[in-house]
Amino acid sequence: MASLYLTPKVWRQIEQAVRKNPYLETGGVLMGYPISEDREEWLVTYASGPGPKAIHQPHSIMFDDQHLRNLVRKQRRRRPWQYIGDWHSHTVRRLSPSKEDRRTIWEKASQSVYMSTSPFMLIVGLNKRNQLQGRAYSLGDTLSEVKDLRVIDRQFLQQRLEKSP
């Protein structure tokens, strides 16, 4: 069962993007690296925006795909990060993937620039108390919910890395 951890900086960036206009969907790519040898635990160290030509609508977001492909290539050259998946917001409280969300993650998994055989999809939104919440899904043979999604601090990460062989 996969785990997805986010740095506090990544969570703040996502929250700022969502709060900029909570009535329109937004999103971007997630980049980072595995923190376990079996590649079941991943740390998100970078979350992008959707790109300058993205189309934001109340119930969908169309990413600026060319911009994001170039961004992923550029980030890979500069840091030891890899594409982990995408994140996007929902303007409704239901944080389950739509048919379009499912189609998108399957398409991206097969694109060579992203090179991820099991990408994540993070869906975020504001709850009744106006707090950001999220649910993550991992694509393997099927799309399944990630049970361990959390924002971690350096202490947790250091302890986790010390346990790795």
PDB file of all heavy atoms in Angstrom, residues 84-117:
ATOM      1  N   ILE A  84       5.985  12.456  -9.997  1.00  0.00           N
ATOM      2  CA  ILE A  84       5.250  11.544  -9.121  1.00  0.00           C
ATOM      3  C   ILE A  84       3.786  11.475  -9.531  1.00  0.00           C
ATOM      4  O   ILE A  84       3.139  10.453  -9.383  1.00  0.00           O
ATOM      5  CB  ILE A  84       5.373  11.994  -7.647  1.00  0.00           C
ATOM      6  CG1 ILE A  84       6.808  11.854  -7.168  1.00  0.00           C
ATOM      7  CG2 ILE A  84       4.436  11.198  -6.755  1.00  0.00           C
ATOM      8  CD1 ILE A  84       7.034  12.372  -5.767  1.00  0.00           C
ATOM      9  N   GLY A  85       3.252  12.560 -10.046  1.00  0.00           N
ATOM     10  CA  GLY A  85       1.848  12.588 -10.431  1.00  0.00           C
ATOM     11  C   GLY A  85       1.350  14.005 -10.572  1.00  0.00           C
ATOM     12  O   GLY A  85       2.135  14.938 -10.716  1.00  0.00           O
ATOM     13  N   ASP A  86       0.051  14.155 -10.527  1.00  0.00           N
ATOM     14  CA  ASP A  86      -0.592  15.465 -10.653  1.00  0.00           C
ATOM     15  C   ASP A  86      -1.399  15.767  -9.403  1.00  0.00           C
ATOM     16  O   ASP A  86      -1.804  14.865  -8.673  1.00  0.00           O
ATOM     17  CB  ASP A  86      -1.584  15.469 -11.823  1.00  0.00           C
ATOM     18  CG  ASP A  86      -0.907  15.444 -13.177  1.00  0.00           C
ATOM     19  OD1 ASP A  86       0.319  15.624 -13.245  1.00  0.00           O
ATOM     20  OD2 ASP A  86      -1.616  15.233 -14.166  1.00  0.00           O
ATOM     21  N   TRP A  87      -1.658  17.037  -9.205  1.00  0.00           N
ATOM     22  CA  TRP A  87      -2.603  17.456  -8.176  1.00  0.00           C
ATOM     23  C   TRP A  87      -3.597  18.396  -8.853  1.00  0.00           C
ATOM     24  O   TRP A  87      -3.278  19.038  -9.847  1.00  0.00           O
ATOM     25  CB  TRP A  87      -1.894  18.140  -7.006  1.00  0.00           C
ATOM     26  CG  TRP A  87      -1.435  19.541  -7.285  1.00  0.00           C
ATOM     27  CD1 TRP A  87      -0.243  19.931  -7.830  1.00  0.00           C
ATOM     28  CD2 TRP A  87      -2.171  20.748  -7.038  1.00  0.00           C
ATOM     29  NE1 TRP A  87      -0.186  21.294  -7.939  1.00  0.00           N
ATOM     30  CE2 TRP A  87      -1.357  21.828  -7.464  1.00  0.00           C
ATOM     31  CE3 TRP A  87      -3.436  21.016  -6.512  1.00  0.00           C
ATOM     32  CZ2 TRP A  87      -1.765  23.152  -7.359  1.00  0.00           C
ATOM     33  CZ3 TRP A  87      -3.836  22.343  -6.418  1.00  0.00           C
ATOM     34  CH2 TRP A  87      -3.003  23.386  -6.835  1.00  0.00           C
ATOM     35  N   HIS A  88      -4.804  18.403  -8.341  1.00  0.00           N
ATOM     36  CA  HIS A  88      -5.780  19.392  -8.790  1.00  0.00           C
ATOM     37  C   HIS A  88      -6.823  19.587  -7.699  1.00  0.00           C
ATOM     38  O   HIS A  88      -6.964  18.771  -6.798  1.00  0.00           O
ATOM     39  CB  HIS A  88      -6.419  19.015 -10.131  1.00  0.00           C
ATOM     40  CG  HIS A  88      -7.368  17.870 -10.076  1.00  0.00           C
ATOM     41  ND1 HIS A  88      -6.950  16.556 -10.094  1.00  0.00           N
ATOM     42  CD2 HIS A  88      -8.708  17.837 -10.007  1.00  0.00           C
ATOM     43  CE1 HIS A  88      -8.008  15.769 -10.036  1.00  0.00           C
ATOM     44  NE2 HIS A  88      -9.094  16.519  -9.972  1.00  0.00           N
ATOM     45  N   SER A  89      -7.511  20.708  -7.810  1.00  0.00           N
ATOM     46  CA  SER A  89      -8.526  21.024  -6.811  1.00  0.00           C
ATOM     47  C   SER A  89      -9.907  20.692  -7.349  1.00  0.00           C
ATOM     48  O   SER A  89     -10.118  20.628  -8.555  1.00  0.00           O
ATOM     49  CB  SER A  89      -8.452  22.511  -6.437  1.00  0.00           C
ATOM     50  OG  SER A  89      -8.729  23.318  -7.561  1.00  0.00           O
ATOM     51  N   HIS A  90     -10.808  20.470  -6.421  1.00  0.00           N
ATOM     52  CA  HIS A  90     -12.233  20.355  -6.728  1.00  0.00           C
ATOM     53  C   HIS A  90     -12.935  21.498  -6.025  1.00  0.00           C
ATOM     54  O   HIS A  90     -12.564  21.881  -4.914  1.00  0.00           O
ATOM     55  CB  HIS A  90     -12.799  19.022  -6.235  1.00  0.00           C
ATOM     56  CG  HIS A  90     -12.550  17.879  -7.164  1.00  0.00           C
ATOM     57  ND1 HIS A  90     -13.057  16.623  -6.933  1.00  0.00           N
ATOM     58  CD2 HIS A  90     -11.841  17.782  -8.324  1.00  0.00           C
ATOM     59  CE1 HIS A  90     -12.687  15.809  -7.907  1.00  0.00           C
ATOM     60  NE2 HIS A  90     -11.936  16.490  -8.755  1.00  0.00           N
ATOM     61  N   THR A  91     -13.939  22.050  -6.669  1.00  0.00           N
ATOM     62  CA  THR A  91     -14.699  23.141  -6.063  1.00  0.00           C
ATOM     63  C   THR A  91     -15.866  22.603  -5.241  1.00  0.00           C
ATOM     64  O   THR A  91     -16.533  23.355  -4.549  1.00  0.00           O
ATOM     65  CB  THR A  91     -15.225  24.101  -7.142  1.00  0.00           C
ATOM     66  OG1 THR A  91     -16.012  23.354  -8.069  1.00  0.00           O
ATOM     67  CG2 THR A  91     -14.079  24.776  -7.870  1.00  0.00           C
ATOM     68  N   VAL A  92     -16.092  21.303  -5.323  1.00  0.00           N
ATOM     69  CA  VAL A  92     -17.115  20.643  -4.502  1.00  0.00           C
ATOM     70  C   VAL A  92     -16.385  19.876  -3.408  1.00  0.00           C
ATOM     71  O   VAL A  92     -15.191  19.598  -3.519  1.00  0.00           O
ATOM     72  CB  VAL A  92     -17.988  19.686  -5.360  1.00  0.00           C
ATOM     73  CG1 VAL A  92     -18.796  20.469  -6.375  1.00  0.00           C
ATOM     74  CG2 VAL A  92     -17.152  18.629  -6.046  1.00  0.00           C
ATOM     75  N   ARG A  93     -17.077  19.539  -2.351  1.00  0.00           N
ATOM     76  CA  ARG A  93     -16.423  18.894  -1.217  1.00  0.00           C
ATOM     77  C   ARG A  93     -16.038  17.433  -1.484  1.00  0.00           C
ATOM     78  O   ARG A  93     -15.247  16.854  -0.773  1.00  0.00           O
ATOM     79  CB  ARG A  93     -17.300  19.014   0.016  1.00  0.00           C
ATOM     80  CG  ARG A  93     -17.297  20.436   0.534  1.00  0.00           C
ATOM     81  CD  ARG A  93     -18.010  20.581   1.850  1.00  0.00           C
ATOM     82  NE  ARG A  93     -17.899  21.926   2.357  1.00  0.00           N
ATOM     83  CZ  ARG A  93     -18.589  22.959   1.939  1.00  0.00           C
ATOM     84  NH1 ARG A  93     -19.446  22.821   0.966  1.00  0.00           N
ATOM     85  NH2 ARG A  93     -18.436  24.144   2.481  1.00  0.00           N
ATOM     86  N   ARG A  94     -16.591  16.858  -2.521  1.00  0.00           N
ATOM     87  CA  ARG A  94     -16.299  15.462  -2.850  1.00  0.00           C
ATOM     88  C   ARG A  94     -14.928  15.386  -3.515  1.00  0.00           C
ATOM     89  O   ARG A  94     -14.702  15.983  -4.567  1.00  0.00           O
ATOM     90  CB  ARG A  94     -17.379  14.936  -3.786  1.00  0.00           C
ATOM     91  CG  ARG A  94     -17.316  13.467  -4.004  1.00  0.00           C
ATOM     92  CD  ARG A  94     -18.609  12.983  -4.670  1.00  0.00           C
ATOM     93  NE  ARG A  94     -18.370  11.678  -5.237  1.00  0.00           N
ATOM     94  CZ  ARG A  94     -18.099  11.462  -6.508  1.00  0.00           C
ATOM     95  NH1 ARG A  94     -18.088  12.457  -7.363  1.00  0.00           N
ATOM     96  NH2 ARG A  94     -17.866  10.249  -6.934  1.00  0.00           N
ATOM     97  N   LEU A  95     -14.012  14.658  -2.914  1.00  0.00           N
ATOM     98  CA  LEU A  95     -12.641  14.586  -3.418  1.00  0.00           C
ATOM     99  C   LEU A  95     -12.353  13.236  -4.067  1.00  0.00           C
ATOM    100  O   LEU A  95     -11.283  12.675  -3.923  1.00  0.00           O
ATOM    101  CB  LEU A  95     -11.646  14.860  -2.289  1.00  0.00           C
ATOM    102  CG  LEU A  95     -11.778  16.226  -1.615  1.00  0.00           C
ATOM    103  CD1 LEU A  95     -10.743  16.393  -0.514  1.00  0.00           C
ATOM    104  CD2 LEU A  95     -11.688  17.354  -2.623  1.00  0.00           C
ATOM    105  N   SER A  96     -13.314  12.737  -4.811  1.00  0.00           N
ATOM    106  CA  SER A  96     -13.145  11.484  -5.542  1.00  0.00           C
ATOM    107  C   SER A  96     -12.847  11.796  -7.003  1.00  0.00           C
ATOM    108  O   SER A  96     -13.331  12.795  -7.535  1.00  0.00           O
ATOM    109  CB  SER A  96     -14.426  10.642  -5.459  1.00  0.00           C
ATOM    110  OG  SER A  96     -14.706  10.329  -4.121  1.00  0.00           O
ATOM    111  N   PRO A  97     -12.071  10.943  -7.667  1.00  0.00           N
ATOM    112  CA  PRO A  97     -11.748  11.207  -9.074  1.00  0.00           C
ATOM    113  C   PRO A  97     -12.958  11.059  -9.988  1.00  0.00           C
ATOM    114  O   PRO A  97     -13.725  10.110  -9.868  1.00  0.00           O
ATOM    115  CB  PRO A  97     -10.681  10.172  -9.410  1.00  0.00           C
ATOM    116  CG  PRO A  97     -10.711   9.169  -8.330  1.00  0.00           C
ATOM    117  CD  PRO A  97     -11.401   9.759  -7.150  1.00  0.00           C
ATOM    118  N   SER A  98     -13.092  12.005 -10.892  1.00  0.00           N
ATOM    119  CA  SER A  98     -14.149  11.950 -11.905  1.00  0.00           C
ATOM    120  C   SER A  98     -13.703  11.026 -13.042  1.00  0.00           C
ATOM    121  O   SER A  98     -12.554  10.577 -13.067  1.00  0.00           O
ATOM    122  CB  SER A  98     -14.404  13.346 -12.460  1.00  0.00           C
ATOM    123  OG  SER A  98     -13.253  13.786 -13.176  1.00  0.00           O
ATOM    124  N   LYS A  99     -14.590  10.772 -13.990  1.00  0.00           N
ATOM    125  CA  LYS A  99     -14.216   9.987 -15.176  1.00  0.00           C
ATOM    126  C   LYS A  99     -13.053  10.650 -15.905  1.00  0.00           C
ATOM    127  O   LYS A  99     -12.130   9.985 -16.353  1.00  0.00           O
ATOM    128  CB  LYS A  99     -15.408   9.854 -16.130  1.00  0.00           C
ATOM    129  CG  LYS A  99     -16.365   8.769 -15.785  1.00  0.00           C
ATOM    130  CD  LYS A  99     -17.410   8.649 -16.887  1.00  0.00           C
ATOM    131  CE  LYS A  99     -18.501   7.678 -16.479  1.00  0.00           C
ATOM    132  NZ  LYS A  99     -19.549   7.583 -17.502  1.00  0.00           N
ATOM    133  N   GLU A 100     -13.122  11.957 -16.023  1.00  0.00           N
ATOM    134  CA  GLU A 100     -12.051  12.701 -16.703  1.00  0.00           C
ATOM    135  C   GLU A 100     -10.727  12.585 -15.942  1.00  0.00           C
ATOM    136  O   GLU A 100      -9.665  12.433 -16.535  1.00  0.00           O
ATOM    137  CB  GLU A 100     -12.447  14.161 -16.864  1.00  0.00           C
ATOM    138  CG  GLU A 100     -11.460  14.988 -17.630  1.00  0.00           C
ATOM    139  CD  GLU A 100     -11.308  14.591 -19.091  1.00  0.00           C
ATOM    140  OE1 GLU A 100     -12.224  13.954 -19.662  1.00  0.00           O
ATOM    141  OE2 GLU A 100     -10.254  14.917 -19.683  1.00  0.00           O
ATOM    142  N   ASP A 101     -10.793  12.659 -14.605  1.00  0.00           N
ATOM    143  CA  ASP A 101      -9.587  12.493 -13.788  1.00  0.00           C
ATOM    144  C   ASP A 101      -8.956  11.123 -14.046  1.00  0.00           C
ATOM    145  O   ASP A 101      -7.737  11.004 -14.205  1.00  0.00           O
ATOM    146  CB  ASP A 101      -9.915  12.602 -12.287  1.00  0.00           C
ATOM    147  CG  ASP A 101     -10.363  13.987 -11.876  1.00  0.00           C
ATOM    148  OD1 ASP A 101     -10.071  14.964 -12.590  1.00  0.00           O
ATOM    149  OD2 ASP A 101     -11.030  14.086 -10.823  1.00  0.00           O
ATOM    150  N   ARG A 102      -9.788  10.091 -14.084  1.00  0.00           N
ATOM    151  CA  ARG A 102      -9.291   8.730 -14.317  1.00  0.00           C
ATOM    152  C   ARG A 102      -8.657   8.605 -15.696  1.00  0.00           C
ATOM    153  O   ARG A 102      -7.600   8.003 -15.856  1.00  0.00           O
ATOM    154  CB  ARG A 102     -10.427   7.713 -14.166  1.00  0.00           C
ATOM    155  CG  ARG A 102     -10.917   7.576 -12.743  1.00  0.00           C
ATOM    156  CD  ARG A 102     -12.174   6.698 -12.676  1.00  0.00           C
ATOM    157  NE  ARG A 102     -12.718   6.673 -11.348  1.00  0.00           N
ATOM    158  CZ  ARG A 102     -12.311   5.864 -10.383  1.00  0.00           C
ATOM    159  NH1 ARG A 102     -11.351   5.004 -10.613  1.00  0.00           N
ATOM    160  NH2 ARG A 102     -12.866   5.916  -9.191  1.00  0.00           N
ATOM    161  N   ARG A 103      -9.301   9.189 -16.683  1.00  0.00           N
ATOM    162  CA  ARG A 103      -8.765   9.129 -18.043  1.00  0.00           C
ATOM    163  C   ARG A 103      -7.410   9.840 -18.112  1.00  0.00           C
ATOM    164  O   ARG A 103      -6.456   9.336 -18.706  1.00  0.00           O
ATOM    165  CB  ARG A 103      -9.743   9.770 -19.031  1.00  0.00           C
ATOM    166  CG  ARG A 103      -9.331   9.608 -20.488  1.00  0.00           C
ATOM    167  CD  ARG A 103     -10.316  10.281 -21.438  1.00  0.00           C
ATOM    168  NE  ARG A 103     -10.397  11.711 -21.277  1.00  0.00           N
ATOM    169  CZ  ARG A 103      -9.477  12.574 -21.738  1.00  0.00           C
ATOM    170  NH1 ARG A 103      -8.430  12.134 -22.373  1.00  0.00           N
ATOM    171  NH2 ARG A 103      -9.638  13.864 -21.555  1.00  0.00           N
ATOM    172  N   THR A 104      -7.313  10.996 -17.478  1.00  0.00           N
ATOM    173  CA  THR A 104      -6.078  11.780 -17.509  1.00  0.00           C
ATOM    174  C   THR A 104      -4.914  11.028 -16.883  1.00  0.00           C
ATOM    175  O   THR A 104      -3.820  11.010 -17.441  1.00  0.00           O
ATOM    176  CB  THR A 104      -6.290  13.134 -16.797  1.00  0.00           C
ATOM    177  OG1 THR A 104      -7.318  13.855 -17.472  1.00  0.00           O
ATOM    178  CG2 THR A 104      -5.032  13.963 -16.776  1.00  0.00           C
ATOM    179  N   ILE A 105      -5.127  10.407 -15.734  1.00  0.00           N
ATOM    180  CA  ILE A 105      -4.011   9.723 -15.079  1.00  0.00           C
ATOM    181  C   ILE A 105      -3.542   8.519 -15.908  1.00  0.00           C
ATOM    182  O   ILE A 105      -2.351   8.248 -16.011  1.00  0.00           O
ATOM    183  CB  ILE A 105      -4.334   9.336 -13.617  1.00  0.00           C
ATOM    184  CG1 ILE A 105      -3.032   8.965 -12.883  1.00  0.00           C
ATOM    185  CG2 ILE A 105      -5.361   8.231 -13.536  1.00  0.00           C
ATOM    186  CD1 ILE A 105      -3.171   8.827 -11.383  1.00  0.00           C
ATOM    187  N   TRP A 106      -4.461   7.812 -16.551  1.00  0.00           N
ATOM    188  CA  TRP A 106      -4.073   6.700 -17.422  1.00  0.00           C
ATOM    189  C   TRP A 106      -3.271   7.204 -18.615  1.00  0.00           C
ATOM    190  O   TRP A 106      -2.272   6.592 -19.005  1.00  0.00           O
ATOM    191  CB  TRP A 106      -5.307   5.929 -17.906  1.00  0.00           C
ATOM    192  CG  TRP A 106      -5.840   4.979 -16.886  1.00  0.00           C
ATOM    193  CD1 TRP A 106      -6.906   5.177 -16.062  1.00  0.00           C
ATOM    194  CD2 TRP A 106      -5.334   3.683 -16.561  1.00  0.00           C
ATOM    195  NE1 TRP A 106      -7.091   4.090 -15.241  1.00  0.00           N
ATOM    196  CE2 TRP A 106      -6.136   3.152 -15.530  1.00  0.00           C
ATOM    197  CE3 TRP A 106      -4.271   2.924 -17.041  1.00  0.00           C
ATOM    198  CZ2 TRP A 106      -5.917   1.902 -14.969  1.00  0.00           C
ATOM    199  CZ3 TRP A 106      -4.054   1.668 -16.481  1.00  0.00           C
ATOM    200  CH2 TRP A 106      -4.866   1.173 -15.451  1.00  0.00           C
ATOM    201  N   GLU A 107      -3.684   8.321 -19.196  1.00  0.00           N
ATOM    202  CA  GLU A 107      -2.966   8.892 -20.341  1.00  0.00           C
ATOM    203  C   GLU A 107      -1.560   9.324 -19.952  1.00  0.00           C
ATOM    204  O   GLU A 107      -0.597   9.041 -20.650  1.00  0.00           O
ATOM    205  CB  GLU A 107      -3.721  10.096 -20.911  1.00  0.00           C
ATOM    206  CG  GLU A 107      -4.918   9.721 -21.737  1.00  0.00           C
ATOM    207  CD  GLU A 107      -5.674  10.937 -22.254  1.00  0.00           C
ATOM    208  OE1 GLU A 107      -5.222  12.087 -22.036  1.00  0.00           O
ATOM    209  OE2 GLU A 107      -6.733  10.734 -22.869  1.00  0.00           O
ATOM    210  N   LYS A 108      -1.441  10.011 -18.813  1.00  0.00           N
ATOM    211  CA  LYS A 108      -0.126  10.496 -18.388  1.00  0.00           C
ATOM    212  C   LYS A 108       0.824   9.352 -18.062  1.00  0.00           C
ATOM    213  O   LYS A 108       2.018   9.451 -18.298  1.00  0.00           O
ATOM    214  CB  LYS A 108      -0.263  11.413 -17.186  1.00  0.00           C
ATOM    215  CG  LYS A 108      -0.671  12.802 -17.578  1.00  0.00           C
ATOM    216  CD  LYS A 108       0.058  13.812 -16.763  1.00  0.00           C
ATOM    217  CE  LYS A 108      -0.240  15.179 -17.327  1.00  0.00           C
ATOM    218  NZ  LYS A 108      -0.204  16.193 -16.322  1.00  0.00           N
ATOM    219  N   ALA A 109       0.301   8.262 -17.529  1.00  0.00           N
ATOM    220  CA  ALA A 109       1.152   7.127 -17.174  1.00  0.00           C
ATOM    221  C   ALA A 109       1.854   6.557 -18.406  1.00  0.00           C
ATOM    222  O   ALA A 109       2.923   5.963 -18.288  1.00  0.00           O
ATOM    223  CB  ALA A 109       0.332   6.045 -16.487  1.00  0.00           C
ATOM    224  N   SER A 110       1.269   6.759 -19.569  1.00  0.00           N
ATOM    225  CA  SER A 110       1.855   6.195 -20.790  1.00  0.00           C
ATOM    226  C   SER A 110       2.722   7.191 -21.563  1.00  0.00           C
ATOM    227  O   SER A 110       3.311   6.823 -22.575  1.00  0.00           O
ATOM    228  CB  SER A 110       0.740   5.673 -21.703  1.00  0.00           C
ATOM    229  OG  SER A 110      -0.057   6.750 -22.145  1.00  0.00           O
ATOM    230  N   GLN A 111       2.838   8.426 -21.097  1.00  0.00           N
ATOM    231  CA  GLN A 111       3.644   9.423 -21.806  1.00  0.00           C
ATOM    232  C   GLN A 111       5.096   9.352 -21.332  1.00  0.00           C
ATOM    233  O   GLN A 111       5.371   9.407 -20.136  1.00  0.00           O
ATOM    234  CB  GLN A 111       3.091  10.826 -21.576  1.00  0.00           C
ATOM    235  CG  GLN A 111       1.742  11.048 -22.228  1.00  0.00           C
ATOM    236  CD  GLN A 111       1.223  12.448 -21.988  1.00  0.00           C
ATOM    237  OE1 GLN A 111       1.970  13.378 -21.701  1.00  0.00           O
ATOM    238  NE2 GLN A 111      -0.089  12.603 -22.099  1.00  0.00           N
ATOM    239  N   SER A 112       6.013   9.250 -22.264  1.00  0.00           N
ATOM    240  CA  SER A 112       7.422   9.045 -21.928  1.00  0.00           C
ATOM    241  C   SER A 112       8.032  10.192 -21.129  1.00  0.00           C
ATOM    242  O   SER A 112       8.910   9.961 -20.306  1.00  0.00           O
ATOM    243  CB  SER A 112       8.240   8.804 -23.188  1.00  0.00           C
ATOM    244  OG  SER A 112       8.193   9.945 -24.019  1.00  0.00           O
ATOM    245  N   VAL A 113       7.579  11.422 -21.331  1.00  0.00           N
ATOM    246  CA  VAL A 113       8.179  12.541 -20.616  1.00  0.00           C
ATOM    247  C   VAL A 113       7.945  12.415 -19.107  1.00  0.00           C
ATOM    248  O   VAL A 113       8.775  12.823 -18.305  1.00  0.00           O
ATOM    249  CB  VAL A 113       7.678  13.908 -21.124  1.00  0.00           C
ATOM    250  CG1 VAL A 113       6.226  14.129 -20.773  1.00  0.00           C
ATOM    251  CG2 VAL A 113       8.532  15.031 -20.564  1.00  0.00           C
ATOM    252  N   TYR A 114       6.832  11.828 -18.723  1.00  0.00           N
ATOM    253  CA  TYR A 114       6.535  11.701 -17.301  1.00  0.00           C
ATOM    254  C   TYR A 114       7.184  10.460 -16.698  1.00  0.00           C
ATOM    255  O   TYR A 114       7.519  10.433 -15.530  1.00  0.00           O
ATOM    256  CB  TYR A 114       5.024  11.715 -17.073  1.00  0.00           C
ATOM    257  CG  TYR A 114       4.410  13.034 -17.481  1.00  0.00           C
ATOM    258  CD1 TYR A 114       3.621  13.142 -18.607  1.00  0.00           C
ATOM    259  CD2 TYR A 114       4.656  14.179 -16.740  1.00  0.00           C
ATOM    260  CE1 TYR A 114       3.075  14.355 -18.993  1.00  0.00           C
ATOM    261  CE2 TYR A 114       4.116  15.398 -17.116  1.00  0.00           C
ATOM    262  CZ  TYR A 114       3.332  15.472 -18.239  1.00  0.00           C
ATOM    263  OH  TYR A 114       2.802  16.675 -18.610  1.00  0.00           O
ATOM    264  N   MET A 115       7.347   9.410 -17.466  1.00  0.00           N
ATOM    265  CA  MET A 115       8.037   8.191 -17.046  1.00  0.00           C
ATOM    266  C   MET A 115       7.633   7.716 -15.655  1.00  0.00           C
ATOM    267  O   MET A 115       8.453   7.561 -14.775  1.00  0.00           O
ATOM    268  CB  MET A 115       9.546   8.404 -17.085  1.00  0.00           C
ATOM    269  CG  MET A 115      10.095   8.562 -18.461  1.00  0.00           C
ATOM    270  SD  MET A 115      11.868   8.655 -18.369  1.00  0.00           S
ATOM    271  CE  MET A 115      12.192   9.972 -19.507  1.00  0.00           C
ATOM    272  N   SER A 116       6.378   7.504 -15.454  1.00  0.00           N
ATOM    273  CA  SER A 116       5.903   6.982 -14.183  1.00  0.00           C
ATOM    274  C   SER A 116       4.919   5.858 -14.469  1.00  0.00           C
ATOM    275  O   SER A 116       3.880   6.081 -15.078  1.00  0.00           O
ATOM    276  CB  SER A 116       5.224   8.073 -13.355  1.00  0.00           C
ATOM    277  OG  SER A 116       4.766   7.547 -12.143  1.00  0.00           O
ATOM    278  N   THR A 117       5.263   4.670 -14.019  1.00  0.00           N
ATOM    279  CA  THR A 117       4.375   3.535 -14.249  1.00  0.00           C
ATOM    280  C   THR A 117       3.266   3.466 -13.207  1.00  0.00           C
ATOM    281  O   THR A 117       2.302   2.742 -13.386  1.00  0.00           O
ATOM    282  CB  THR A 117       5.165   2.217 -14.235  1.00  0.00           C
ATOM    283  OG1 THR A 117       5.880   2.141 -12.996  1.00  0.00           O
ATOM    284  CG2 THR A 117       6.135   2.152 -15.409  1.00  0.00           C
TER     285      THR A 117
END
